[in-house]
Structures are given as structure tokens and as C-alpha cells.
Amino acid sequence: MSSFDLTEDQQDCLQELINVAMGQASDQLARYLDTFVYLKVPSIEQVKSEHLFETLNQDLKATAVVSQGFFGYEGIRGEALLMYQPQDSHRLADLLGYEADELTFDEQIIDLSSILTTTFLNVFASQIDNQMSYSAPRLLSANQGTISEHLNQQSFNWDLALKVRISYQVTDYSFNCDMVLLIPEEAINNIKAVIDRILEDF
Amino acid sequence: MSTNVLICDDSNLARKQVLRSLPESLSNNVQLAKNGEEALEILRSQSMDVLFLDLTMPVIDGLGVLQAMQDENISLPVFVISADIQPEMQSRVLELGAKAFLRKPVQQTTLNENLQLHGLL
């Protein structure tokens, strides 16, 4: 049994913590794009480190991957990857008002990703009595070699990837992106302990 | 006479959070639904006095429940409790007849204040 096998109650609790965090991230997205965002139930999948590239094979065809590190108390830290599919990046470009300036699009997609990541993680952290700091977000070239290299440069050995599939529908547009949180074992155990404390209250 | 309460949320934890936040006078006869479809089945077959409703749910979401209630003339006070806090969403649920919008995770004080405001306490 791996350290992050969750019971049904633990999974439900984690899902609810993520739903609340996603709700506030979507509100920020709506404000950023000045539109209404239709929010679907996010799906959550746990991926062992050795299976990440296999699982994310489809995602690695993404046009844009934005990576941002996060650091909290009690060993909670990791790396958040936001991955956008090629067909969705065109819709995003429209939404963001992209015309012919790639640099502007890069900057805007980094901003958008950082808003989603930091809002999501701030709200998630506040629910588990923690607080996050962040490294600067980086836009990565979306190919397996670049992402592998980037992940190998991390200062920690991550043991589990929490893949949160986020689907947004924005009035006349819709796009999907995957948020992948890479988390080391110490952080996993800490999150699990917090979930158990929450469940004990009920 | 006890008040018939229905709590509809796909999360077991969220249902328990609402249940635990309810005043004693509303805690004696509570039914739980895991999605909008289950909630509508209960509302069509039984007389309920108040509904606490999540929005982002599988099968039928909270907006779908509010719309169906309007279409089928099912009338009872509805308190929406949701993580989807966009101002436009809050306006939509109020337009569809909800009494109030409360953000998740629900706070006991806020819930009780709203129940009082709408004459349920």
C-alpha cells in the first residue's frame, strides 16, 4: 500500500477541499477575463512518479506548459504544472485578445496560469491551516524532453502527481487545462494527516 | 411539528458540514441527496420545508434543480451553498428563486443569520 492510498472518506474530503479552491480560482479567472465561467466538477487522479509521463502522454502534446513552485509550512511543497491543449490555446488566445505578438501571448498565459495556480493553492492551503509562497512561473517548451529536464532540476524528489482535470466553459468559448501538482512524500503524509484531522471532527 | 430539511451536495463532507451547522430546531428531520436528480425525486414525492443546495454536482447540477423547481412549481425556501462564488452565479441563483447564496465552506453563524433573516428561526 502506498503512502497516499486514500479511503473513500479521505478521497471525498480531498475532493471537497479542491472544489472549494477551484471555485475561488474560477472566480479570479472570470474577473481576469471579464466574463462568466461555467464550472464543472473537477476530476482528480493520483499518479505515481514512475507513471507520470505515461499518464500525461496526451498532455505532453500541449501547446503551453506553465510551471510554478510552491512552498508552505510543515514540508508542504511541490511544483504545479498547468498544461493547455493545442486546440484550447487558440481559444485562449482569442479570449486573451492575442493578435500577432507571441511574446504578449506568452506573458498573458503565464499571468493567467499564475492566477489560477496561486488562487487555487492559497485557498487549498487556508483550508488546511497552511500558507504558501511561490517561485516565479515559467513557460516551458511543451515536449517531453524539456519537461523531464525541468522536473529533474527540482530540489526535491517528488513521489506523487495529483492531476486535477479542470474544465472551464467561458460563455462562447470552452477550454480545458490540466493542473498537475507534483508533491514529495513528506508533503503527501502531511496533507493526509490534515485530512484525517478534518474527518475526526465529523 | 418538525421541519423537513433536505441537504443536496455530492460531497459527504459538505453534507456533514451543513448538517453540523444547522440549529437544533432544524436537525430532527433531515434527508440527504447526492445530486440534483436525487433531490428532485425527494422534492416531487415528499413535502419538504427547506433545501440546502450545492451547485457544482454531477447528473443534475444546482442550477438544474432550481430551474426544474420553477418549471414544476415546487416552492420552498432554497439556500444555495457553493464554492462557485462568481457574482454572476450568485445573481443567477437568486433570479431562479433561491433565498440566499452562501459560500463554502459554510459557517454556522452565517447560516443561522440567513435562516433568521428568512424567518426559519
Side-chain angles (χ1 to χ4, degrees), chain B residues 49-94:
Chain B
D49 299 307
V50 60
L51 167 62
F52 298 98
L53 178 68
D54 183 26
L55 291 179
T56 312
M57 291 185 292
V59 192
I60 296 177
D61 64 15
L63 288 178
V65 172
L66 289 168
Q67 188 62 59
M69 287 174 64
Q70 208 170 61
D71 295 345
E72 298 174 35
N73 291 319
I74 300 171
S75 178
L76 74 160
V78 181
F79 295 84
V80 168
I81 301 173
S82 175
D84 189 350
I85 57 169
Q86 296 174 75
E88 191 174 332
M89 181 56 91
Q90 299 188 33
S91 304
R92 281 189 189 188
V93 301
L94 297 178

Side-chain angles (χ1 to χ4, degrees), chain A residues 1 36 41 46 49 72 109 168 174 180 185 190 202:
Chain A
M1 185 171 171
F36 178 73
V41 181
Q46 296 164 44
S49 56
I109 204 164
Y168 295 113
S174 66
V180 180
E185 188 170 11
N190 186 291
F202 291 93

Side-chain angles (χ1 to χ4, degrees), chain B:
Chain B
M1 198 175 84
S2 65
T3 307
N4 295 319
V5 172
L6 177 58
I7 300 171
C8 177
D9 197 303
D10 57 326
S11 162
N12 185 37
L13 178 75
R15 292 193 298 272
K16 284 179 178 173
Q17 281 173 330
V18 177
L19 189 54
R20 204 166 79 160
S21 303
L22 287 177
E24 207 180 322
S25 60
L26 296 183
S27 304
N28 297 325
N29 195 3
V30 178
Q31 293 199 56
L32 305 173
K34 284 186 272 187
N35 57 56
E37 190 174 53
E38 283 188 15
L40 286 169
E41 278 171 19
I42 293 170
L43 292 170
R44 284 169 187 141
S45 59
Q46 299 173 45
S47 175
M48 304 306 296
D49 299 307
V50 60
L51 167 62
F52 298 98
L53 178 68
D54 183 26
L55 291 179
T56 312
M57 291 185 292
V59 192
I60 296 177
D61 64 15
L63 288 178
V65 172
L66 289 168
Q67 188 62 59
M69 287 174 64
Q70 208 170 61
D71 295 345
E72 298 174 35
N73 291 319
I74 300 171
S75 178
L76 74 160
V78 181
F79 295 84
V80 168
I81 301 173
S82 175
D84 189 350
I85 57 169
Q86 296 174 75
E88 191 174 332
M89 181 56 91
Q90 299 188 33
S91 304
R92 281 189 189 188
V93 301
L94 297 178
E95 280 164 20
L96 282 167
K99 290 285 184 197
F101 182 99
L102 311 178
R103 64 161 59 195
K104 279 186 171 183
V106 68
Q107 301 297 316
Q108 188 171 30
T109 318
T110 316
L111 183 64
N112 287 350
E113 279 170 4
N114 274 277
L115 288 168
Q116 214 155 25
L117 185 68
H118 295 284
L120 285 147
L121 276 185

Side-chain angles (χ1 to χ4, degrees), chain A residues 137-149:
Chain A
R138 286 177 56 191
L139 182 65
L140 307 176
S141 167
N143 65 61
Q144 182 158 337
T146 310
I147 294 172
S148 289
E149 194 182 324

